[in-house]
Amino acid sequence: MSVRCDGFVFDLDGTVYLGESALPGSVDGIAELRRRGKRVLFVSNKPLEPRTQYAAKLTRLGIPTPAEDVITSGYVLGHHLAQHQPELRYYVIGEENLRTELRGHGLTILDELDGQDAKEVIDPQGIDAVVVAFDRTLDYRKLNTAYQALMRGAWFYATNGDKTCPMPGGAIPDAGGTLAALEAMTGRRLQLLAGKPSTLTMEVALDRLGLAAERCMMVGDRLETDILMGQNAGMLTAVALTGVSTLADVAAMAAPPTFAVERLSELPALVE
């Protein structure tokens, strides 16, 4: 079986690379697609680095990539908020690179309320919206500040909702646990998710590709984010069995992806 496909959107962690190593077949597979004139973009739910860093990493691993062909959840959120709520003041549970990314879109990102005791009820005055992201510097001050702001009606947004981030040897906690904790404590529900499987990410990707959704393929290792996002957008989909998903997981799906591949080097043979 082969299908007509002119554009590809690749997840990164667990699909193209793992840690500091390209996954088997990814360099050759992507190079062959490009040789055949296919458009290629990369998306990541990780808001830890600017797009330039992800592009540099891909290039270092043998997949030359300009920053413009990388889309992160932080970029998508900043792009969206700058268009729709540029006047708000944002409190961010996230690392410094994300704060810099959001400021780069012209948004007002507040500093930590260090003058208040983190063990007491923090006054969140001045916070209009809370942004939750993957944050390896998460502490009680951040959690308390976000809680107090949400209890007083602040908007509730997130870059991504991943439970874990794949790493060599296993995985580490991601933003999903922080979101679950805040939802449980406040009784609030997230109002906007920028990253996968949100339609916001794919809208940005398809606009960058300049192609109709049905002529593009979403490739990723997570069925509940990568594949679901592609299916919701009306794209072809391929699950890479290099990350968290297995053939048994695919077989259990009511609406499985178009393809399942052991490595990305199998993709060129599947498309016209």
Side-chain angles (χ1 to χ4, degrees):
M1 174 184 176
S2 64
V3 296
R4 173 69 185 273
C5 185
D6 299 314
F8 289 80
V9 180
F10 288 95
D11 170 57
L12 289 175
D13 286 284
T15 301
V16 174
Y17 57 64
L18 189 62
E20 293 302 315
S21 300
L23 285 162
S26 63
V27 174
D28 293 342
I30 292 169
E32 176 61 17
L33 291 173
R34 284 173 164 170
R35 189 191 68 78
R36 291 169 53 183
K38 309 300 184 183
R39 286 281 289 119
V40 173
L41 290 184
F42 302 94
V43 298
S44 176
N45 263 7
K46 285 172 67 175
L48 300 181
E49 304 288 349
R51 294 189 296 161
T52 52
Q53 291 295 102
Y54 290 106
K57 179 175 180 176
L58 284 163
T59 301
R60 186 171 66 250
L61 294 178
I63 306 170
T65 302
E68 294 76 16
D69 286 350
V70 178
I71 298 169
T72 67
S73 59
Y75 174 83
V76 172
L77 183 63
H79 177 76
H80 178 82
L81 294 178
Q83 290 183 318
H84 297 281
Q85 292 179 308
E87 75 286 355
L88 298 187
R89 295 163 294 182
Y90 295 91
Y91 177 75
V92 179
I93 291 182
E95 299 184 17
E96 191 56 38
N97 280 326
L98 174 62
R99 296 159 64 86
T100 300
E101 170 82 62
L102 296 177
R103 288 191 176 109
H105 290 272
L107 301 174
T108 299
I109 307 303
L110 302 173
D111 294 327
E112 292 295 335
L113 304 178
D114 291 327
Q116 300 186 52
D117 188 344
K119 299 176 184 177
E120 303 293 338
V121 177
I122 290 176
D123 181 359
Q125 185 174 1
I127 298 175
D128 300 316
V130 170
V131 172
V132 178
F134 186 7
D135 188 354
R136 297 164 299 181
T137 66
L138 179 66
D139 59 15
Y140 194 74
R141 175 179 295 280
K142 291 182 178 182
L143 197 63
N144 189 4
T145 304
Y147 167 79
Q148 303 296 345
L150 291 172
M151 290 302 292
R152 287 162 178 76
W155 295 91
F156 192 6
Y157 302 148
T159 56
N160 64 299
D162 300 81
K163 296 176 183 178
T164 60
C165 175
M167 298 285 286
I172 58 175
D174 206 315
T178 309
L179 287 171
L182 286 169
E183 288 185 336
M185 288 187 291
T186 64
R188 299 279 304 276
R189 289 293 176 265
L190 189 66
Q191 293 169 282
L192 177 69
L193 179 69
K196 301 174 290 186
S198 168
T199 57
L200 292 181
T201 291
M202 198 48 70
E203 286 170 6
V204 172
L206 290 172
D207 181 67
R208 173 70 181 156
L209 287 170
L211 296 168
E214 59 269 21
R215 291 172 58 193
C216 299
M217 182 182 295
M218 178 66 214
V219 185
D221 69 309
R222 290 181 180 264
L223 299 171
E224 73 278 11
T225 55
D226 303 316
I227 301 307
L228 178 60
M229 179 176 67
Q231 290 174 332
N232 287 344
M235 300 170 67
L236 299 163
T237 55
V239 61
L241 303 175
T242 49
V244 299
S245 299
T246 66
L247 278 177
D249 296 327
V250 174
M253 296 181 69
T258 315
F259 301 108
V261 296
E262 294 286 349
R263 53 182 60 199
L264 299 188
S265 53
E266 297 173 21
L267 283 175
L270 300 176
V271 299
E272 298 175 4

